[in-house]
Amino acid sequence: MSETNPAAAEVAAPHRYTAAVAAEIEARWQDFWDAEGTYAAPNPKGDLAGDPELVAKPKKFIMDMFPYPSGAGLHVGHPLGYIATDVFARFQRMTGHNVLHTLGFDAFGLPAEQYAVQTGTHPRVSTEANIENMKVQLRRLGLGHDKRRSFATIDPDYYKWTQWIFLQIFNSWYDDEAQKARPIAELVAQFESGERAVPGSTRAWSELSAGERADVLGGYRLAYASDAPVNWCPGLGTVLANEEVTAEGRSERGNFPVFKAKLRQWNMRITAYADRLLDDLNELDWPEAIKLQQRNWIGRSEGARVDFPVDGERITVFTTRPDTLFGASYMVLAPEHPLVDKFTPDAWPEGTHDVWTGGHATPAAAVAAYRAQAASKSDVERQAEAKDKTGVFIGSYATNPVNGEQVPVFIADYVLMGYGTGAIMAVPCGDQRDFEFARAFELPITCIVEPTDGRGTDTSTWEDAFSSYDAKIINSTAEGVSLDGLGVAEAKARITEWLERSGVGEGTVNFRLRDWLFSRQRYWGEPFPIVYDEDGIAHPLPESMLPLELPEVEDYSPRTFDPDDADTEPETPLSRNEDWVNVTLDLGDGPKRYRRETNTMPNWAGSCWYELRYLDPHNSEQLVDPEIERYWMGPREGQPHGGVDLYVGGAEHAVLHLLYARFWSKVLFDLGHVSSAEPFHKLFNQGMIQAYVYRDSRGIAVPAAEVEERDGAYYYQGEKVSRLLGKMGKSLKNAVTPDEICAEYGADTLRLYEMAMGPLDVSRPWDTRAVVGQFRLLQRLWRNVVDESTGAVTVVDAEPDEDTLRALHKAIDGVRGDLEGMRFNTAIAKVTELNNHLTKAYGSSGAAGPSVEGGGGRRVGAVPRTVAESLVLMVAPLAPHIAEELWRKLGRDGSVVHEDFPVADPAYVVDETVTCVVQIKGKVKARLEVSPAISEEELEKVALSDEKVVAALDGAGIRKVIVRAPKLVNIVPA
């Protein structure tokens, strides 16, 4: 009746669980949770201190990756991780933990600024409106967040501490001997006392000017400004970090061309922590794929530094194969290398090969033209394995230190400033790119390894390079050193020792990781707490002047340029606010005129430390109270570096956010501000909810909801369209909002469906038609407790039968293990199985009152109370609203949130019997019901005495019996 005539069904069953009933229940319980502070997690002290008994319980700190409050709002793909952490957090509360679970908003960044530029709306106005909309959507999902701890990164009370952390990093240096950050004042004291000599100078510290001292300290500070090659995007009017540039050399946001330019920018010396960032990964409970990405990004490699003399100076290279030094027949510098200008003469040396000049009359002209060409390529494009190698001779020769040979110096785009020293010694016999370059520019190729593939040592006959770690070194002897006849490892050790003894190099470690570019030419970001005096020296603002708030401006946009015009420079929005930029301040030595830094911090800054603010969100005197930080994040057994107990988010943040946050944590740890050297102990990457994208013949997405399927094809307004599984999003016209699903079925149904779609770490397609399956599960659950006609509770105070006890305790055991292991889909399957058992065993006819014996032993409408209560408790983490409602209807007081999760009785978890398969020659001949605890000896006896087995053997002897108790016996006849 309900399916064919819903209106009639509603009259017949006025107390049925419907979307309207779900909406009323959910809104009421959300109000209750807010009013009662149900999800408030107490701190051990401070303004959020609470129940000492709860504080004394084991803690769990569970976090989602920071959401950005988009104006488009949420679609159903966004809450996947939020629901998962909520289910896990609820389960942890029910298993005796003090759980901190909350959510803030990462609200600085480009989207809000771009919206402001387009509409004239202040970024704060649009961002705060988006946050409020998102809060409404998230609340409707019934997420158990401690709302007292929520904040947005744009709150001045928050970014005061982002600025404070920047100053800690600025006022620190990395002590290689101590392997930790130390206050810059300690380094200054070493210079002042003479304990440490001023690098590159014979003068004492007291003899240096203020500017010279600032330059020296800038070479040590963990946050420093420098003139360095950057990724300049004229179309966006800002510089970008390497990670924000696509493989095609375009901006990740906007898809504009990106060029190399030299600008003065702020950087973070993350490279000082490269070894620790690598080593500490070992103790983290992270997916191996993410650890591998971080290791590859950091890119540690062992080798040697080698100096090649040039006109009384030198070019330094890093090589992982110093054993091939005798084969270095030319050198290559990155086009942007600072030594290029120094070593480029006015005229070509006599006898310069025509192919080396690029057709230019002078080295300077050749270098300028080639640099312009290289600037238009991305790093990925420059390193691509293209057969056509390009480059130009700069007009100078270097000396190979091992044999004294003069080798020409080129610039070529396949060498990057971002790796090693930005210079290479080219060994064309052993490196394919060097080989192709040498062929293109008619350079010598010296064979210094004995080929093992039969090609011989005459390189003129080679078609490609030869590289092998098994080959012997040849043609590598000079005065004082010979590598001939050695293997690679032994040759490396010998040549490295010679380099160090000769003073022309040393063994060293290199990293792919570059220092973090920390400036953006934007308005909507944290202002730097830095001012410059009349001599251009940077001064940190004192803590008393924090936060340095963003000024109000009329024009939020950075100056953008023709996207293809590389010869442009940034002009920041803040630089146009003269009254804010030029100020008189007293920094301790009297009022003086200063100029503020007009760049802002990148959007990553606020998310580098937000886990700490969740702990102590209202503290205006400290970053975080040390006792509170130790309680929630301090090191403990199994977590030697401390950190958040569970961090859930997308794998797309494997490098950027996670690496930056780890760096900030280590600096704060070194300086004694926190006890946790790592921010996130356990990381879990959820998959993606995908949706079908439908496109017309022009390739334009059409509204997915309006597409019709006919005979296996898809049509939109009569036109055939293509279908492809992909992302869900407003621009793809396939977004489904959680509001739509909540309105049709309720939030609990949405929660169940998203958790039941498949393993949490696997991407899965959304199917609105399948949502109803979880809605029906909740309806059956409701009917097992509530009479749909009268609304009366139908459970009875009676003992469950044996089958029900076994079904119940198996479900409890399975669901408990699945929730602990974040296998939410299988937990729901087990709940469904138990619920179906109850429906079948006891019926759900709607009859109220005492239990009635039905035919075949069925107890119609009379689920035992103990079973119903246990089922509701199992459902509570997954579907909390209906669980709260049924818990109250069952006569229980208080919130189900803090009830104990059921514990299985082991006696009922183990089956009374299991089925053992008996095979003869691999074919099943009998099935035996045996005890799960049966021994192998006993099982063999039972199997061999079974009449079907005896008949199948038919008197044949037995050569071997293989027993796998309790489920398999395999008999091999003689």
Side-chain angles (χ1 to χ4, degrees):
M1 181 186 296
S2 63
E3 292 182 2
T4 57
N5 191 341
E10 223 169 285
V11 173
H15 296 279
R16 174 167 294 173
Y17 182 81
T18 62
V21 169
E24 186 276 324
I25 289 172
E26 289 165 3
R28 178 158 40 82
W29 281 108
Q30 287 160 18
D31 290 342
F32 173 87
W33 294 330
D34 285 349
E36 295 295 316
T38 301
Y39 303 109
N43 279 344
K45 62 181 292 191
D47 67 317
L48 299 185
D51 181 1
E53 289 188 15
L54 187 50
V55 171
K57 291 182 175 183
K59 63 87 189 180
K60 285 289 181 184
F61 184 7
I62 298 165
M63 266 181 64
D64 301 276
M65 287 189 182
F66 240 177
Y68 190 89
S70 164
L74 299 177
H75 60 62
V76 292
H78 291 125
L80 177 67
Y82 307 149
I83 295 170
T85 53
D86 187 62
V87 172
F88 189 72
R90 290 176 180 278
F91 173 72
Q92 294 298 324
R93 288 190 192 95
M94 297 179 74
T95 51
H97 294 84
N98 182 20
V99 177
L100 193 167
H101 188 214
T102 190
L103 195 70
F105 300 91
D106 189 13
F108 274 127
L110 198 55
E113 188 173 281
Q114 287 179 324
Y115 184 76
V117 171
Q118 294 165 7
T119 65
T121 307
H122 193 286
R124 180 175 291 279
V125 173
S126 60
T127 301
E128 289 180 345
N130 294 342
I131 288 173
E132 290 308 310
N133 179 56
M134 193 168 175
K135 283 181 176 178
V136 171
Q137 288 187 295
L138 291 170
R139 185 180 190 270
R140 193 169 184 180
L141 297 174
L143 303 177
H145 294 149
D146 185 346
K147 295 179 181 178
R148 306 170 304 164
R149 299 175 183 265
S150 184
F151 55 80
T153 55
I154 60 175
D155 299 339
D157 286 347
Y158 180 80
Y159 70 73
K160 164 188 175 178
W161 294 104
T162 308
Q163 293 170 336
W164 182 88
I165 295 172
F166 173 83
L167 292 179
Q168 307 312 300
I169 300 172
F170 174 77
N171 285 320
S172 301
W173 63 292
Y174 196 81
D175 185 340
D176 288 320
E177 290 184 9
Q179 290 289 292
K180 62 179 291 188
R182 294 171 60 185
I184 201 77
E186 295 180 11
L187 180 64
V188 172
Q190 291 181 10
F191 285 134
E192 288 176 337
S193 68
E195 176 187 346
R196 183 184 292 265
V198 176
S201 175
T202 58
R203 291 185 294 163
W205 182 256
S206 59
E207 297 172 354
L208 302 183
S209 68
E212 288 172 326
R213 291 178 185 181
D215 288 342
V216 169
L217 294 179
Y220 288 86
R221 292 186 188 274
L222 289 177
Y224 64 95
S226 70
D227 293 312
V230 296
N231 301 305
W232 165 235
C233 181
L236 289 176
T238 188
V239 300
L240 302 172
N242 289 339
E243 299 86 353
E244 296 171 312
V245 182
T246 67
E248 292 73 34
R250 305 180 76 85
S251 62
E252 192 173 51
R253 193 175 291 277
N255 196 37
F256 293 113
V258 176
F259 304 93
K260 289 294 183 184
K262 185 172 284 189
L263 298 169
R264 191 158 186 82
Q265 302 289 308
W266 282 98
N267 299 272
M268 293 276 181
R269 207 179 299 276
I270 191 173
T271 49
Y273 283 82
D275 271 323
R276 284 172 60 184
L277 289 168
L278 274 175
D279 294 344
D280 289 354
L281 282 171
N282 297 330
E283 300 293 342
L284 299 182
D285 186 4
W286 286 18
E288 283 304 317
I290 301 298
K291 289 185 179 183
L292 180 61
Q293 287 185 63
Q294 291 232 339
R295 290 188 180 109
N296 289 341
W297 190 261
I298 296 167
R300 187 182 194 277
S301 53
E302 295 185 10
R305 173 186 62 77
V306 185
D307 296 333
F308 283 69
V310 182
D311 296 333
E313 298 194 49
R314 66 187 180 189
I315 296 175
T316 300
V317 303
F318 170 81
T319 176
T320 58
R321 293 291 305 273
D323 55 298
T324 64
L325 190 52
F326 283 90
S329 56
Y330 65 97
M331 297 190 74
V332 183
L333 300 179
E336 53 274 278
H337 199 294
L339 291 179
V340 173
D341 293 330
K342 181 177 289 189
F343 294 145
T344 301
D346 294 332
W348 295 115
E350 187 177 346
T352 297
H353 200 314
D354 288 344
V355 76
W356 295 1
T357 68
H360 295 279
T362 65
V367 167
Y370 191 80
R371 277 176 159 172
Q373 173 187 330
S376 65
K377 295 182 181 180
S378 72
D379 287 357
V380 173
E381 287 176 306
R382 286 171 57 170
Q383 290 192 300
E385 297 293 338
K387 289 293 182 184
D388 296 329
K389 291 292 182 246
T390 64
V392 68
F393 178 47
I394 70 169
S396 289
Y397 288 83
T399 303
N400 187 327
V402 75
N403 57 18
E405 291 184 2
Q406 295 294 292
V407 295
V409 181
F410 286 77
I411 57 172
D413 58 12
Y414 75 93
V415 176
L416 307 176
M417 274 305 297
Y419 181 77
T421 64
I424 68 164
M425 61 175 210
V427 183
C429 79
D431 181 275
Q432 187 61 27
R433 289 179 303 176
D434 293 349
F435 181 89
E436 291 165 3
F437 191 94
R439 282 280 194 260
F441 289 88
E442 301 177 19
L443 290 157
I445 301 175
T446 304
C447 180
I448 46 88
V449 292
E450 191 173 74
T452 55
D453 59 0
R455 67 173 67 190
T457 60
D458 180 2
T459 60
S460 65
T461 65
W462 290 11
E463 296 182 359
D464 55 12
F466 174 80
S467 179
S468 172
Y469 274 84
D470 298 325
K472 296 295 183 183
I473 303 295
I474 60 172
N475 298 329
S476 297
T477 295
E479 186 177 348
V481 63
S482 176
L483 309 182
D484 290 346
L486 300 180
V488 170
E490 191 178 356
K492 277 185 177 183
R494 182 173 295 185
I495 194 65
T496 300
E497 187 274 333
W498 181 87
L499 289 168
E500 293 175 348
R501 189 175 69 247
S502 303
V504 292
E506 63 179 349
T508 188
V509 173
N510 190 60
F511 295 92
R512 179 178 178 269
L513 180 68
R514 299 294 91 193
D515 281 344
W516 173 17
L517 178 66
F518 199 70
S519 295
R520 296 296 182 274
Q521 291 66 49
R522 314 297 310 191
Y523 167 70
W524 195 233
E526 298 91 340
F528 282 93
I530 294 289
V531 293
Y532 300 91
D533 64 22
E534 293 178 349
D535 296 322
I537 299 173
H539 297 267
L541 292 180
E543 186 177 331
S544 61
M545 292 186 180
L546 303 182
L548 172 59
E549 296 193 33
L550 271 176
E552 296 293 325
V553 299
E554 293 183 3
D555 183 3
Y556 315 111
S557 58
R559 183 182 176 193
T560 57
F561 303 88
D562 179 338
D564 296 309
D565 187 356
D567 296 324
T568 50
E569 289 188 3
E571 179 187 294
T572 63
L574 290 179
S575 67
R576 298 192 286 265
N577 190 327
E578 291 288 334
D579 292 339
W580 184 83
V581 174
N582 298 300
V583 292
T584 299
L585 301 173
D586 185 349
L587 301 184
D589 53 356
K592 293 182 180 179
R593 293 291 289 172
Y594 294 96
R595 176 177 54 83
R596 295 195 191 278
E597 172 63 70
T598 60
N599 286 312
T600 53
M601 298 186 198
N603 60 304
W604 308 106
S607 61
C608 274
W609 72 281
Y610 70 120
E611 71 283 354
L612 297 172
R613 193 62 175 174
Y614 284 153
L615 308 181
D616 198 9
H618 311 131
N619 195 331
S620 60
E621 303 302 318
Q622 293 175 287
L623 177 73
V624 60
D625 184 281
E627 184 179 339
I628 294 172
E629 188 272 336
R630 279 195 303 273
Y631 174 82
W632 289 110
M633 290 185 63
R636 62 203 66 221
E637 186 177 353
Q639 298 183 17
H641 301 303
V644 173
D645 296 290
L646 175 66
Y647 193 38
V648 175
E652 65 272 16
H653 297 296
V655 172
L656 303 181
H657 159 60
L658 292 174
L659 198 62
Y660 297 158
R662 295 181 63 215
F663 166 55
W664 278 35
S665 285
K666 292 186 183 304
V667 177
L668 292 171
F669 172 77
D670 287 354
L671 298 177
H673 299 299
V674 297
S675 66
S676 48
E678 286 283 345
F680 315 114
H681 172 69
K682 181 178 175 64
L683 175 69
F684 189 97
N685 296 130
Q686 88 266 17
M688 182 188 298
I689 289 184
Q690 299 172 304
Y692 286 108
V693 183
Y694 299 88
R695 297 185 184 275
D696 61 21
S697 57
R698 301 167 298 169
I700 296 174
V702 302
E706 299 175 31
V707 172
E708 298 178 355
E709 181 180 358
R710 297 199 301 268
D711 301 324
Y714 303 93
Y715 297 86
Y716 172 69
Q717 296 181 349
E719 179 191 350
K720 192 172 183 180
V721 294
S722 64
R723 184 180 83 155
L724 188 67
L725 192 62
K727 288 185 176 181
M728 180 180 286
K730 188 176 180 180
S731 64
L732 297 174
K733 299 182 181 179
N734 62 356
V736 179
T737 69
D739 308 65
E740 296 172 54
I741 304 302
C742 288
E744 189 167 357
Y745 298 107
D748 280 340
T749 294
L750 173 62
R751 290 170 60 103
L752 282 177
Y753 177 66
E754 294 215 0
M755 294 299 95
M757 290 172 75
L760 184 60
D761 58 349
V762 175
S763 294
R764 71 295 301 271
W766 176 267
D767 183 358
T768 299
R769 294 169 300 180
V771 176
V772 69
Q774 299 306 319
F775 184 58
R776 288 171 179 157
L777 166 62
L778 295 180
Q779 287 183 315
R780 288 193 294 272
L781 171 65
W782 183 268
R783 282 198 297 269
N784 277 326
V785 178
V786 177
D787 187 299
E788 291 185 335
S789 300
T790 66
V793 173
T794 60
V795 301
V796 294
D797 295 319
E799 286 297 315
D801 59 77
E802 185 81 5
D803 287 346
T804 297
L805 280 172
R806 292 195 176 280
L808 171 66
H809 287 282
K810 281 185 178 181
I812 292 172
D813 182 63
V815 171
R816 176 181 276 266
D818 286 343
L819 293 181
E820 183 65 50
M822 300 180 70
R823 298 182 296 273
F824 304 129
N825 59 320
T826 55
I828 292 170
K830 292 177 175 69
V831 166
T832 303
E833 186 178 354
L834 174 62
N835 198 50
N836 289 344
H837 169 88
L838 297 179
T839 301
K840 183 178 179 181
Y842 296 96
S844 54
S845 66
S851 62
V852 179
E853 289 291 344
R858 239 168 130 244
R859 288 178 170 273
V860 178
V863 174
R865 175 178 295 277
T866 55
V867 178
E869 289 184 352
S870 293
L871 177 57
V872 168
L873 291 173
M874 277 188 277
V875 167
L878 297 153
H881 307 91
I882 193 172
E884 289 276 29
E885 187 71 9
L886 293 176
W887 192 246
R888 283 297 175 92
K889 286 184 178 296
L890 286 166
R892 304 300 295 264
D893 293 329
S895 170
V896 73
V897 169
H898 294 290
E899 292 292 328
D900 291 336
F901 198 84
V903 177
D905 184 339
Y908 291 106
V909 172
V910 179
D911 289 327
E912 286 186 303
T913 62
V914 296
T915 301
C916 174
V917 173
V918 182
Q919 296 179 336
I920 300 176
K921 292 184 179 180
K923 294 184 178 180
V924 177
K925 296 299 181 181
R927 287 184 169 83
L928 312 174
E929 293 301 315
V930 299
S931 166
I934 193 170
S935 67
E936 292 189 351
E937 294 78 5
E938 182 64 25
L939 182 56
E940 181 177 340
K941 290 179 182 178
V942 171
L944 292 176
S945 62
D946 181 82
E947 59 183 23
K948 292 181 180 177
V949 173
V950 171
L953 286 171
D954 194 24
I958 298 173
R959 181 160 60 90
K960 188 177 183 181
V961 179
I962 302 168
V963 181
R964 297 287 182 268
K967 294 188 175 181
L968 176 68
V969 176
N970 194 3
I971 301 171
V972 182

